[in-house]
Amino acid sequence: MANLLRSEGEDCTQSGKDGTSVEKASSFKHVFSFIKDSSYYQHIEGGEPSTNNSAPRPPLNTNCITVNPKQRGNPIIQYITSVPLEYGDIVPDYVLGKTTCALFLSVRYHNLHPNYIHERLMKLGYAFETRILLVQVDMKDCQQSLSELAKIAVMADCTLILAWSNEEAGRYLETYKAYENKPPDLLKEKVEKDYVSKLTDCLTTIKSVNRADVVTLQSTFGSMDNIMSASVQDLALCPGIGLQKAKRIYDLFREPFLTKHIKIQTEKCVADEH
């Protein structure tokens, strides 16, 4: 091969009148044209290069959910009302954005055709960053089937979402589309930065303590430090608190940060040491 390339390179030069070497006008195609005459060359019809099937096709309309025509009779479509729909030639069942798609499957259909979802996922590949497996639970006692689908979703790097009705499934799809370009902070719970709002957010995590109770505690004791230091009797004297609620508040600030199971194990270990 080296000798062949050397001879081709020598053919690309010729001597000039003054004895110097002058390079001929040549090209990569000319130098390697001999490959066409070899037994390893195979001509492919069509001059255009093949497209990469792994690249996602952009939706026909970015404001719409693009629906696979095979999903035309799916009853969940009638519950997608807040986002417009359009039908297009796509691989997944629903395209929810430039990087998000969804495959729809019912548990009943999965039990009848267990290989169906494997074939769909293989055909889909990794064309979209976010791939949703939307499963409608339309059977009772389907824990085993759901366990299988969960394993499939993990192996295929998909997000598994369960819906127990057509309406719920439709709302999942339109919600994904509606929040396509929204920032992550929009989904988080908004807590005001003032002191009373933070105190309310903290104390309302205690069972049966509501916002009115927080206002009473704050006006009575003045600060979180005073509430934590108050006795059960002092807490119970507050209007609307009562003895049971006062005990819950008092115990919360004095319980160790251990679950009951770990606490029991710790007590057993201490008892065994003694």
Side-chain angles (χ1 to χ4, degrees), residues 232-233 236 241-248:
V232 177
Q233 291 75 16
I241 299 298
L243 183 59
Q244 184 177 5
K245 194 178 296 185
K247 288 182 178 180
R248 289 174 180 170

Side-chain angles (χ1 to χ4, degrees), residues 25 30 56 58-59 67 76 87 98 118 136-137 173 189 194 210-211 229 234 243 245-246 267 271-273:
H30 172 73
V67 185
I76 71 173
Y87 291 91
K98 294 181 179 179
H118 294 282
Q136 183 174 356
V137 184
L173 293 177
E189 182 182 3
D194 60 284
N210 52 41
R211 293 179 179 271
S229 302
D234 293 337
L243 183 59
K245 194 178 296 185
E267 292 175 353
D272 293 340
E273 290 177 358

Side-chain angles (χ1 to χ4, degrees), residues 11-184:
D11 291 340
C12 293
T13 60
Q14 63 178 3
S15 299
K17 294 181 179 180
D18 56 353
T20 59
S21 177
V22 180
E23 186 175 357
K24 287 184 179 180
S26 183
S27 65
F28 181 88
K29 182 178 179 181
H30 172 73
V31 173
F32 291 94
S33 60
F34 67 92
I35 297 179
K36 289 187 177 182
D37 299 329
S38 67
S39 59
Y40 301 100
Y41 178 77
Q42 181 180 2
H43 179 70
I44 301 176
E45 296 293 337
E48 297 182 358
S50 59
T51 57
N52 187 4
N53 294 329
S54 62
R57 294 182 180 181
L60 302 179
N61 190 337
T62 56
N63 298 323
C64 300
I65 293 179
T66 306
V67 185
N68 192 313
K70 295 181 180 179
Q71 292 287 311
R72 193 179 294 272
N74 195 328
I76 71 173
I77 293 178
Q78 62 182 331
Y79 294 101
I80 304 176
T81 56
S82 62
V83 180
L85 301 175
E86 66 176 1
Y87 291 91
D89 183 17
I90 56 176
V91 176
D93 293 328
Y94 303 92
V95 172
L96 309 175
K98 294 181 179 179
T99 59
T100 308
C101 71
L103 293 176
F104 178 81
L105 179 68
S106 68
V107 176
R108 189 183 302 275
Y109 190 87
H110 174 67
N111 290 339
L112 295 175
H113 308 279
N115 293 327
Y116 168 78
I117 189 62
H118 294 282
E119 296 173 356
R120 293 297 308 276
L121 288 171
M122 289 180 62
K123 187 176 181 180
L124 177 63
Y126 292 90
F128 293 83
E129 292 181 8
T130 304
R131 296 174 298 279
I132 301 167
L133 179 56
L134 180 58
V135 177
Q136 183 174 356
V137 184
D138 54 354
M139 291 182 62
K140 296 181 179 180
D141 301 327
C142 56
Q143 288 81 0
Q144 183 177 356
S145 299
L146 294 179
S147 178
E148 294 176 358
L149 291 172
K151 293 178 182 178
I152 293 173
V154 171
M155 296 298 294
D157 195 18
C158 295
T159 301
L160 178 64
I161 296 181
L162 303 181
W164 273 262
S165 65
N166 294 325
E167 182 179 3
E168 184 181 2
R171 287 184 177 180
Y172 277 128
L173 293 177
E174 65 182 8
T175 301
Y176 261 96
K177 183 61 181 179
Y179 283 85
E180 176 187 4
N181 298 317
K182 303 295 183 182

